[in-house]
Amino acid sequence: MELFDLNIHFPVTDPTWIFFLVLIIILFAPMILGCLRIPHIIGMILAGVAVGKYGFNILERDSSFELFGKVGLYYIMFLAGLEMDMDDFKKNRTKGLVFGMFTFLIPMGLGIWSSMSMLGYGFLTSVLLASMYASHTLIAYPIISRYGLSRQRTVSITIGGTAVTVVLALMVLAVIGGMYKGEEVGGLFWVLLVARVVLLFGLIIFLMPRISRWFFRTYDDAVMQFVFVLAMVFLGGGLMELVGMEGILGAFLAGLVLNRFVPHVSPLMNRLEFVGNALFIPYFLIGVGMIIDVRCLFTEGEALKVAVVMTVVATFSKWLAAWITQKIYGMNKVEGSLIFGLSNAQAAATLAAVLIGHGIIMENGERLLSDDVLNGTVVMILFTCIISSVVTERAARKMVTQENLTEGGEGKELERILIPVANPETIEGLVGMALMMRHPRQKESLVALSVINDNNTSETKELIGKRNLERTAMIAAAADASVKTVLRYDLNIAQGIIHTQKEYAVTDVVIGLHRKTNLMDSFFGNLTESLLKGTNRQIMITKLLMPVNTLRRIVVAVPDKAEYEMGFLKWVTQLCRMGKQLGCRVHFFATEDTLKHLRVVTEKQEANTFTEISVLEEWDDLLLLTGQVSYDHLFVVVSSRKGSISYQTSFERLPAQISKYFANNSLLIVYPDQLGDDPQEIVSFSDPRGQSETRVYDNVGKWFYKWFKKGDERN
């Protein structure tokens, strides 16, 4: 037995070494090509070319690459649907449909003409080849995601157009494939195909949201939620293949359905993106590179001609479709470049079409798509992916630079949200609420605080406080957000929160609603009352009865003259931001005068958010809103401190009304920012227990009313 028996054969067949080499490629390809300013995606494809059988033959494209490659392909389409801004997509659905028709019809027309006139192919071969040009894969989508542009208007238009052109291209593939499977392509064939697809779409759109909503409300385990989402992706893909369509369409549809249940800044979204970008998508890209035979370009003249024609026609037709869309809708050059970059790459449906067409044997014994087309296709995939990645990278960088320059001149206040943590059961809800409201570009905007009373110096209290802070940091880190954790001793919890708010320049405080322990206890509790008296900063009091991501609507009750408060712009923007993250509508109820200002703010600050506005004349009785608030809605009440412009005496009845009418609803009570740096004695704050002279007057009035009523009954 030799000390070192290095029996190495290529291609490598041992699973351990295969996986190790793939991980090395995933690790070092972005590093090396990053220094050369080449997009990471190209590095994965070129690495696949190098290690494949047409390169150095280090790895064989075995079943593992087929499995992980298909998962990665589904993942790309799934993430594209999951990260799409559905509100923006609804607004731009007409533009997406128009672009989808352009990006399908133009490549089809140019593809059929070039294949018949320049390559001499028959009609059916030319149609199938043209459908390959028409379809495209969002191979450069990870670049968009990395730059944080997934919710841009142009991205939504491109994704909508992708859905249209992929469906139409796959329909062409299904028809041609059916013709050579012995199926009679007539009226019945079309009726059955459309019926199956429509029925499946209806089942996915109707059943999957209901199953997802039930699951997320019932199970909060992170691993179970992750596995559930993956199961839904492959269920959609598998069902789509059952009806004769490509699974990538089902994965994309599953992403659209699950979009509102996986907020963009949630821990679950971060886990999904992390696993996909770290393993599945790179595996797919490496597998694509392994089937590319670069040598055929230099050994066979016909293959080189086919590859050049295919690459030029596919690229030019996609550029022309993007340019026409840009001109029609008055977009700038950067937006047009971004649309072209995203829609130029050929991979998913193109590979499916060429492999199916290559496997079809015609009556004369020849393949429907020859070996030259197969080699030309993989070369076209390489060059279109390179062009797509480079153009998308440059356009995304320019767009981000322009946004930063625009935002840099606004001089907005740096947001910093304080989350006092004491109850382990409410930590996840408070952190989720803060993540939904914070500015997406301000990464270090959260401060978690645990206060220990000076009178209680036990080690147990300190250990519990540290444990709560660690849990808060873990929840935020899972959503790719950093939290400043603070453990402090103070006279009482309220003083600790107030002092921390001043020391860390906190702009907002998010706390849980107090739980009454006895009949004499107030609705808000002494802590909340002390905070309202001790700080002028915005305080948000929340009670969540279900996970934030399962809320379907935000209903906001706004008092009269709320627009004159200093914090009006902030809380409106934050609620619109939350609605956008959750993919749900924000429904404001206010007086006519206040609604005018709300319209202006929602259009200016959060133009992409769908909002509804209704008149609420009688603020005194919130019973009027009980019919508008369902069990899966978030009911937001905008209150104010006593002495402020929008303060009303009816606020003193607010605790009783909430307890009576909205006990079974998720709540958020907002006390906006007030003018001044410190509370003053002249401008006192609302006592939520209602101990004021107004309550005395109300009681006297009720006593007189009852006394006169009894007198009438006696008479």
Side-chain angles (χ1 to χ4, degrees):
M1 180 178 177
E2 297 181 7
L3 182 60
F4 298 103
D5 186 12
L6 299 178
N7 189 16
I8 301 176
H9 298 282
F10 293 107
V12 177
T13 57
D14 184 84
T16 304
W17 287 105
I18 290 176
F19 201 72
F20 169 74
L21 291 173
V22 170
L23 292 178
I24 289 297
I25 293 173
I26 295 174
L27 178 64
F28 285 103
M31 292 183 184
I32 296 172
L33 292 179
C35 298
L36 303 175
R37 297 185 179 276
I38 298 176
H40 302 164
I41 293 174
I42 300 175
M44 298 298 172
I45 296 176
L46 293 179
V49 174
V51 301
K53 66 177 181 179
Y54 300 115
F56 297 103
N57 198 28
I58 299 175
L59 294 176
E60 183 180 359
R61 197 174 189 274
D62 58 8
S63 58
S64 68
F65 282 96
E66 294 180 6
L67 174 62
F68 281 97
K70 195 160 192 176
V71 175
L73 183 56
Y74 281 16
Y75 231 96
I76 290 176
M77 298 301 294
F78 167 66
L79 288 179
L82 191 66
E83 295 186 348
M84 187 190 302
D85 188 341
M86 293 305 296
D87 286 341
D88 195 36
F89 176 69
K90 291 175 183 176
K91 287 182 179 179
N92 296 293
R93 58 180 176 268
T94 303
K95 297 177 182 177
L97 178 62
V98 171
F99 170 67
M101 296 306 298
F102 280 139
T103 200
F104 174 77
L105 294 176
I106 293 176
M108 284 294 294
L110 291 178
I112 294 174
W113 170 78
S114 62
S115 298
M116 296 182 69
S117 62
M118 301 176 67
L119 299 178
Y121 291 145
F123 178 72
L124 285 180
T125 301
S126 300
V127 170
L128 185 57
L129 199 56
S131 72
M132 292 162 51
Y133 303 154
S135 67
H136 59 256
T137 304
L138 299 171
I139 203 83
Y141 189 81
I143 297 175
I144 295 297
S145 181
R146 190 172 73 248
Y147 280 99
L149 299 174
S150 57
R151 292 176 175 259
Q152 284 288 331
R153 176 186 66 163
T154 48
V155 177
S156 297
I157 293 173
T158 308
I159 293 176
T162 300
V164 173
T165 190
V166 167
V167 169
L168 295 176
L170 293 178
M171 294 283 279
V172 173
L173 177 60
V175 171
I176 294 179
M179 293 175 62
Y180 287 94
K181 288 180 182 177
E183 299 182 19
E184 183 179 351
V185 181
L188 182 61
F189 174 84
W190 282 103
V191 170
L192 290 177
L193 178 63
V194 173
R196 289 198 301 263
V197 173
V198 171
L199 178 62
L200 179 58
F201 269 55
L203 286 175
I204 293 177
I205 294 173
F206 180 78
L207 291 179
M208 196 175 287
R210 286 159 176 79
I211 297 173
S212 302
R213 185 175 290 110
W214 168 82
F215 186 89
F216 284 120
R217 286 177 181 169
T218 307
Y219 302 99
D220 58 358
D221 182 76
V223 176
M224 292 180 65
Q225 290 185 351
F226 180 83
V227 174
F228 171 78
V229 170
L230 288 188
M232 291 297 101
V233 173
F234 283 89
L235 175 63
L239 291 175
M240 194 62 69
E241 290 184 342
L242 284 178
V243 300
M245 303 292 284
E246 282 298 317
I248 55 175
L249 191 59
F252 175 73
L253 188 60
L256 293 179
V257 171
L258 292 171
N259 184 287
R260 67 160 331 285
F261 299 104
V262 187
H264 189 62
V265 295
S266 65
L268 180 57
M269 173 65 85
N270 190 56
R271 296 186 188 104
L272 289 168
E273 289 182 334
F274 174 80
V275 173
N277 292 325
L279 187 61
F280 294 140
I281 295 177
Y283 231 112
F284 164 70
L285 296 173
I286 294 171
V288 170
M290 292 174 71
I291 65 174
I292 297 176
D293 184 7
V294 181
R295 294 175 298 181
C296 70
L297 298 175
F298 308 101
T299 56
E300 301 179 19
E302 189 66 24
L304 178 60
K305 177 183 176 182
V306 171
V308 171
V309 171
M310 292 179 66
T311 304
V312 171
V313 172
T315 302
F316 175 74
S317 60
K318 290 296 181 181
W319 175 85
L320 185 59
W323 181 80
I324 293 175
T325 304
Q326 172 195 335
K327 294 300 181 182
I328 289 177
Y329 294 111
M331 301 178 183
N332 56 43
K333 291 184 178 180
V334 176
E335 290 178 307
S337 297
L338 192 64
I339 293 176
F340 166 63
L342 280 174
S343 62
N344 185 56
Q346 311 285 328
T350 303
L351 280 174
V354 73
L355 292 176
I356 291 173
H358 187 261
I360 294 176
I361 307 298
M362 297 185 293
E363 294 179 355
N364 58 6
E366 297 181 356
R367 297 181 182 275
L368 182 62
L369 296 181
S370 64
D371 292 337
D372 292 336
V373 175
L374 179 63
N375 291 327
T377 300
V378 292
V379 173
M380 177 187 68
I381 289 173
L382 174 63
F383 280 98
T384 55
C385 287
I386 291 175
I387 295 170
S388 173
S389 301
V390 172
V391 172
T392 304
E393 184 90 26
R394 290 180 178 176
R397 190 181 295 116
K398 288 181 181 179
M399 189 168 289
V400 170
T401 303
Q402 291 175 359
E403 286 185 356
N404 291 337
L405 289 175
T406 303
E407 292 185 0
E410 295 180 0
K412 292 184 177 179
E413 180 184 35
L414 179 66
E415 291 184 3
R416 188 157 293 164
I417 302 175
L418 177 64
I419 311 171
V421 293
N423 185 359
E425 296 179 1
T426 62
I427 290 176
E428 188 165 357
L430 293 176
V431 175
M433 188 70 72
L435 289 173
M436 294 297 110
M437 289 187 175
R438 70 164 186 160
H439 196 288
R441 296 189 184 277
Q442 296 181 8
K443 299 298 183 182
E444 300 179 359
S445 57
L446 302 181
V447 179
L449 170 66
S450 180
V451 182
I452 302 175
N453 198 314
D454 274 339
N455 297 327
N456 190 346
T457 57
S458 66
E459 294 182 0
T460 305
K461 292 289 185 182
E462 184 174 343
L463 182 62
I464 293 174
K466 290 181 178 179
R467 191 177 302 157
N468 289 338
L469 291 175
E470 289 175 0
R471 175 169 169 74
T472 305
M474 289 176 61
I475 294 172
D480 196 24
S482 60
V483 177
K484 173 69 176 177
T485 57
V486 180
L487 178 68
R488 69 180 300 154
Y489 286 87
D490 217 309
L491 294 173
N492 54 58
I493 297 178
Q495 287 297 316
I497 295 174
I498 293 171
H499 292 160
T500 305
Q501 177 256 318
K502 294 179 179 179
E503 292 170 6
Y504 289 90
V506 168
T507 58
D508 305 86
V509 180
V510 180
I511 60 175
L513 181 63
H514 166 71
R515 292 184 179 180
K516 296 182 66 173
T517 57
N518 53 65
L519 292 175
M520 299 300 294
D521 201 358
S522 66
F523 178 78
F524 288 104
N526 293 327
L527 171 61
T528 304
E529 296 169 13
S530 300
L531 287 179
L532 290 172
K533 294 176 182 178
T535 177
N536 286 329
R537 281 302 189 177
Q538 178 168 285
I539 296 177
M540 293 172 282
I541 308 162
T542 180
K543 181 189 75 172
L544 292 174
L545 301 182
M546 61 184 62
V548 179
N549 62 316
T550 61
L551 295 171
R552 288 197 307 114
R553 185 175 288 248
I554 300 174
V555 180
V556 189
V558 186
D560 188 25
K561 297 183 176 61
E563 65 273 19
Y564 299 113
E565 299 286 357
M566 187 183 74
F568 175 74
L569 179 61
K570 182 202 286 186
W571 65 257
V572 174
T573 303
Q574 289 176 338
L575 290 179
C576 291
R577 192 180 294 155
M578 182 190 298
K580 185 173 182 177
Q581 294 289 353
L582 295 176
C584 63
R585 292 181 180 271
V586 183
H587 197 163
F588 293 97
F589 288 87
T591 60
E592 284 285 1
D593 292 337
T594 304
L595 289 180
K596 295 177 182 178
H597 294 83
L598 281 171
R599 289 191 185 95
V600 173
V601 174
T602 53
E603 290 175 2
K604 277 189 177 181
Q605 299 298 323
E606 299 291 333
N608 294 330
T609 303
F610 271 5
T611 57
E612 292 181 5
I613 295 177
S614 300
V615 177
L616 176 66
E617 295 292 351
E618 298 294 333
W619 169 264
D620 289 352
D621 194 355
L622 292 181
L623 176 62
L624 299 172
L625 293 180
T626 53
Q628 303 290 336
V629 183
S630 181
Y631 72 98
D632 53 0
H633 293 175
L634 176 66
F635 183 47
V636 181
V637 179
V638 181
S639 186
S640 64
R641 299 167 172 92
K642 189 175 180 181
S644 60
I645 299 173
S646 62
Y647 178 79
Q648 300 179 20
T649 56
S650 57
F651 288 166
E652 295 169 7
R653 296 191 294 273
L654 191 60
Q657 290 181 338
I658 291 176
S659 299
K660 183 177 180 180
Y661 302 140
F662 305 99
N664 298 321
N665 297 106
S666 297
L667 299 171
L668 178 65
I669 304 172
V670 180
Y671 284 85
D673 287 336
Q674 259 194 322
L675 290 170
D677 297 326
D678 297 302
Q680 304 293 330
E681 292 296 332
I682 295 177
V683 183
S684 61
F685 296 99
S686 172
D687 185 351
R689 292 173 295 186
Q691 301 298 324
S692 69
E693 62 278 7
T694 308
R695 175 60 58 86
V696 176
Y697 298 149
D698 289 345
N699 291 337
V700 172
K702 290 179 181 177
W703 183 84
F704 275 110
Y705 174 77
K706 291 179 180 178
W707 188 81
F708 281 116
K709 187 175 182 181
K710 289 180 180 179
D712 293 337
E713 291 175 354
R714 287 195 295 267
N715 295 332

